[in-house]
Amino acid sequence: MSLPPPSKIASRHPLAPWLSVGSALLLFCTLGSPALAQFALAPPRGSSLMPGPGDTTRGGPGDPGGYFLEGSASWTRWWAFNREPFLAELRYRGAGDVMAMPLGGERRTGSLPGLSEQKVFTEVVPMLQERLSSTRDLDLAVGCLLALGKIGEAPKEYLQAADAISVEASILPRLKDANERVRDAAVIALGLVGGPRSTTLLAALVDGRDEGKKALGGGRIDERTRAFAAYALGLVGHHSRRHSERTFVVEHLLQVAEVHAKDTEVAAAAILGIGWAPLPFDVPETGDEAPPAGQEATVRRLLALFDADSTDLRARSQAPVAIARLTRANVGSPENSHDVLAVAAAQEELRQRMLARFTLALSLRSGEKNATVREGVCQALGLLVEPRADGRDRDAIERLLQVAKEGQEREGGLALLALARIAGRAGTDVESVRGAVAQDLAGLFRGLASEGKASQRPWAALALGLFEHLRHGAGASASLQNRALLMKELGDAVSPEGKSAAAVALALAGDDEGTGTLVKGLTTGSFSVRGLFATSLALLQAHGAVDALQDVAADPLVAPQVLREASIALALLKDDDLVELLVTRLARARLMPERIAALQGLAWCNDPGAVPALLYVMREDRIGKRKIDDTSRAFAAAALGAICSNRSLPWNAHLALDVTWSAAPPTLTNERDGGGVLDLF
């Protein structure tokens, strides 16, 4: 059986004569041993580690980030967890306000242009279901489960076919799988699919009730599975359009967090889930308490968890951002103007209370544990504070400035990024008080970027780029002074961290004067820097760099991680030849890492022609005398899920944004073996 070629491949691709006839089987004749899969997977998000050997590939089809610079306190850790919305802006115009969005910024984008709903639900989904039901390979099962979750349930007209199986029904049997990674993926897939039945079952899994035990095949529900169920419930709460379902999810997760406050895994997972579930702000009658299912009551209960010394450190560290998101959420405002004003006044009062509480928390200056909590507080204040020269906003800014200048590297860097977000909200009027505050902060970023300590300079450069990016979204053009400083840093920086930070900062600021330097950097220096340079060219929408990126992606000697990042950049630049290029790489690949990098690149393609290539990998059993390995199929499944999803952000991006990664429980992200929810593709 031959691979159905896209029209562009049929007309221009050097392999077109093979791909259009039975000899297309040569496409994968160079597939190597699946035992090499362990070297191909991306490391846990934000990690520089590669997976070690084991009886699985350490987390299945791995994290789409990864391959970032070394150093536990590096700014690249922040970028690894937070880059997805910036890229989504390029892939889907109008995907939402990037770093300023507290809640509700993501939009459903619909199917990929040119990819029909019929093809998704009559070809892609049945293929994933068939492979899922028949495979014994752990990675392939994980890839299929997550792909089905990303795509979601088929519309009724497709489920009415005689042989159709619902996505939910195909996921449920895998809850009984003997391997915990497969069970984890099945739990998450249920959260992505959503629906009343899945929500009820996930709640039972979190609680450890009989219904959950039965779904798993009996026995005790361990803490890991309960944590994954909490993450899955959070996904339900975020994506659900039903207020009653969101209320159920939040109330349930609140109870879980309160009961298990001393448990690292479950409480932290519950708090992270709550932070992404929008709730209405209901104004109580005079003298009454806030409604129990509303935004204010939820914030108060989370704050009580944050204040309690008995709450596990990792849960406490995630609570501030969850509180900040809910405090700034604007969901379900009443229609009449009087109530709208009342809601606005009550929300502002709540914001002021949270400002006072978190500003005080930054004064706790001793001990490593307090530093970890302060990292979460800094990021929360970046969401809460307005650029004002008086009141509690100014107090918070002063405290963040102190942490930025005197704090430990990671908390100081996060304080700088929080200040950049605050300054970016000032708008374009430089003559206003807000504008003056923003300009003062920009001066701080410039000073630290050029003359600060070695550990501060990359963070300050990134803060300057983020500030300009947010101002650009408000209609302001980048400051010539700021752009000149970042260009100088790009040229002068010696360390990989400094050079790549300046590159990303320039890209965020929209300064294309650095394009030539970035293009030259694609072929020199460390692999991680080259990958960040490729991403920077995409952020700049540097269409003039397409040829250089194509050369990098076509180079048979290029490192797999650079191939992947260059492919992603080409996809974001809407390169029409990318599918052809990656098919060529697949045809010539001799080792697993190269094949997987090409498949990960296909996951970002905006060309529906990528779908036939991926279906071919999924469908064919043998190529001549050689089998197509299941690891390649696992990554092909993950790519199909990404292409056929109608959401602008990767499914786990919500759990990654603004996370306090230094306090992340292993179920969230795990440097050792990549077994966290953020380490799944």
Side-chain angles (χ1 to χ4, degrees), residues 194-210:
R197 183 184 178 189
S198 295
T199 303
T200 302
L201 177 55
L202 290 170
L205 288 170
V206 172
D207 293 344
R209 287 187 273 117
D210 289 344

Side-chain angles (χ1 to χ4, degrees), residues 90-410:
L90 305 178
R91 196 175 190 186
Y92 306 105
R93 291 298 180 185
D97 186 6
V98 180
M99 298 313 296
M101 65 177 184
L103 274 179
E106 183 197 11
R107 300 177 186 173
R108 298 176 73 87
T109 57
S111 299
L112 188 70
L115 178 62
S116 69
E117 182 182 83
Q118 181 180 13
K119 186 175 188 66
V120 171
F121 290 109
T122 61
E123 293 186 46
V124 176
V125 168
M127 174 60 69
L128 292 168
Q129 290 174 321
E130 190 279 325
R131 281 296 181 186
L132 176 62
S133 65
S134 61
T135 187
R136 294 184 178 180
D137 183 81
L138 304 181
D139 289 337
L140 181 53
V142 169
C144 290
L145 284 165
L146 293 176
L148 289 167
K150 295 175 202 175
I151 296 170
E153 195 61 84
K156 291 182 179 178
E157 56 265 35
Y158 298 108
L159 289 176
Q160 291 170 351
D163 57 347
I165 304 171
S166 72
V167 168
E168 184 182 64
S170 61
I171 293 170
L172 286 171
R174 284 297 191 163
L175 290 173
K176 294 183 172 69
D177 200 279
N179 182 267
E180 70 174 10
R181 298 294 174 83
V182 177
R183 293 197 304 272
D184 294 343
V187 168
I188 292 296
L190 285 178
L192 290 169
V193 172
R197 183 184 178 189
S198 295
T199 303
T200 302
L201 177 55
L202 290 170
L205 288 170
V206 172
D207 293 344
R209 287 187 273 117
D210 289 344
E211 181 184 352
K213 293 177 182 178
K214 182 178 179 181
L216 295 176
R220 175 179 172 272
I221 302 177
D222 61 28
E223 185 181 26
R224 178 181 174 85
T225 299
R226 293 167 71 185
F228 268 79
Y231 293 126
L233 268 182
L235 293 171
V236 171
H238 179 63
H239 292 301
S240 177
R241 298 181 179 181
R242 296 186 292 273
H243 170 63
S244 60
E245 189 169 43
R246 292 199 306 272
T247 301
F248 170 82
V249 165
V250 170
E251 180 61 28
H252 201 85
L253 290 178
L254 272 171
Q255 292 177 9
V256 167
E258 289 166 344
V259 171
H260 299 280
K262 297 181 181 180
D263 298 339
T264 297
E265 304 290 320
V266 180
I271 288 171
L272 284 164
I274 293 167
W276 279 104
L279 291 170
F281 195 104
D282 296 324
V283 179
E285 298 292 334
T286 304
D288 292 344
E289 293 185 358
Q295 186 184 117
E296 183 174 8
T298 301
V299 166
R300 287 179 176 177
R301 290 169 70 178
L302 285 174
L303 187 61
L305 286 167
F306 174 72
D307 286 335
D309 291 336
S310 59
T311 301
D312 183 87
L313 172 66
R314 294 181 178 183
R316 285 191 71 211
S317 300
Q318 312 303 338
V321 166
I323 291 170
R325 289 196 185 284
L326 292 174
T327 301
R328 295 304 296 266
N330 185 20
V331 181
S333 297
E335 294 182 0
N336 69 74
S337 59
H338 174 74
D339 285 341
V340 169
L341 293 174
V343 166
Q347 281 192 305
E348 175 60 16
E349 181 184 352
L350 179 62
R351 187 184 76 88
Q352 290 288 337
R353 293 203 303 270
M354 296 306 105
L355 281 179
R357 180 65 190 87
F358 291 143
T359 301
L360 177 63
L362 282 187
S363 66
L364 302 174
R365 299 296 305 164
S366 61
E368 182 63 31
K369 288 186 177 180
N370 284 333
T372 301
V373 173
R374 287 196 301 271
E375 292 167 21
V377 172
C378 286
Q379 296 187 92
L381 287 173
L383 289 168
L384 286 171
V385 178
E386 292 295 330
R388 295 175 182 167
D390 57 9
R392 288 173 175 168
D393 290 284
R394 187 60 197 180
D395 293 342
I397 290 173
E398 292 290 348
R399 186 63 69 181
L400 284 168
L401 284 168
Q402 182 181 1
V403 175
K405 294 174 183 177
E406 302 173 6
Q408 298 179 27
E409 178 186 346
R410 195 164 51 229

Side-chain angles (χ1 to χ4, degrees), residues 312-591:
D312 183 87
L313 172 66
R314 294 181 178 183
R316 285 191 71 211
S317 300
Q318 312 303 338
V321 166
I323 291 170
R325 289 196 185 284
L326 292 174
T327 301
R328 295 304 296 266
N330 185 20
V331 181
S333 297
E335 294 182 0
N336 69 74
S337 59
H338 174 74
D339 285 341
V340 169
L341 293 174
V343 166
Q347 281 192 305
E348 175 60 16
E349 181 184 352
L350 179 62
R351 187 184 76 88
Q352 290 288 337
R353 293 203 303 270
M354 296 306 105
L355 281 179
R357 180 65 190 87
F358 291 143
T359 301
L360 177 63
L362 282 187
S363 66
L364 302 174
R365 299 296 305 164
S366 61
E368 182 63 31
K369 288 186 177 180
N370 284 333
T372 301
V373 173
R374 287 196 301 271
E375 292 167 21
V377 172
C378 286
Q379 296 187 92
L381 287 173
L383 289 168
L384 286 171
V385 178
E386 292 295 330
R388 295 175 182 167
D390 57 9
R392 288 173 175 168
D393 290 284
R394 187 60 197 180
D395 293 342
I397 290 173
E398 292 290 348
R399 186 63 69 181
L400 284 168
L401 284 168
Q402 182 181 1
V403 175
K405 294 174 183 177
E406 302 173 6
Q408 298 179 27
E409 178 186 346
R410 195 164 51 229
E411 64 172 318
L414 291 172
L416 283 170
L417 296 183
L419 290 166
R421 294 167 78 162
I422 295 165
R425 285 199 284 276
T428 59
D429 184 4
V430 296
E431 301 299 326
S432 67
V433 172
R434 291 166 61 88
V437 171
Q439 292 307 313
D440 287 345
L441 293 175
L444 168 74
F445 306 149
R446 286 193 298 271
L448 291 179
S450 59
E451 299 177 2
K453 294 183 293 187
S455 60
Q456 289 176 323
R457 293 177 69 166
W459 287 99
L462 186 64
L464 196 59
L466 179 58
F467 164 65
E468 290 289 4
H469 182 87
L470 295 173
R471 289 182 71 245
H472 180 70
S477 57
S479 158
L480 292 177
Q481 185 180 14
N482 295 341
R483 292 165 58 184
L485 185 144
L486 292 173
M487 276 295 299
K488 185 175 185 303
E489 286 300 302
L490 180 62
D492 294 350
V494 176
S495 70
E497 277 204 359
K499 193 169 288 292
S500 54
V504 172
L506 274 171
L508 292 176
D511 186 357
D512 57 5
E513 291 185 14
T515 298
T517 303
L518 295 176
V519 168
K520 291 178 182 177
L522 290 174
T523 55
T524 59
S526 68
F527 293 142
S528 53
V529 172
R530 295 187 203 183
L532 285 164
F533 275 26
T535 303
S536 299
L537 288 167
L539 288 169
L540 284 170
Q541 288 293 278
H543 292 279
V546 165
D547 288 345
L549 287 164
Q550 286 180 338
D551 289 343
V552 170
D555 183 356
L557 300 180
V558 73
Q561 59 263 46
V562 180
L563 167 60
R564 185 190 62 214
E565 295 303 309
S567 300
I568 292 173
L570 287 168
L572 295 174
L573 290 169
K574 308 295 192 297
D575 177 27
D576 291 336
D577 298 322
L578 180 58
V579 172
E580 303 175 25
L581 187 156
L582 293 176
V583 167
T584 300
R585 293 305 303 258
L586 284 169
R588 296 172 179 172
R590 293 184 177 275
L591 296 176

Side-chain angles (χ1 to χ4, degrees), residues 44-64:
R45 191 183 295 264
S47 172
S48 60
L49 304 177
M50 292 296 286
D55 53 6
T56 77
T57 51
R58 298 282 190 178
D63 168 40

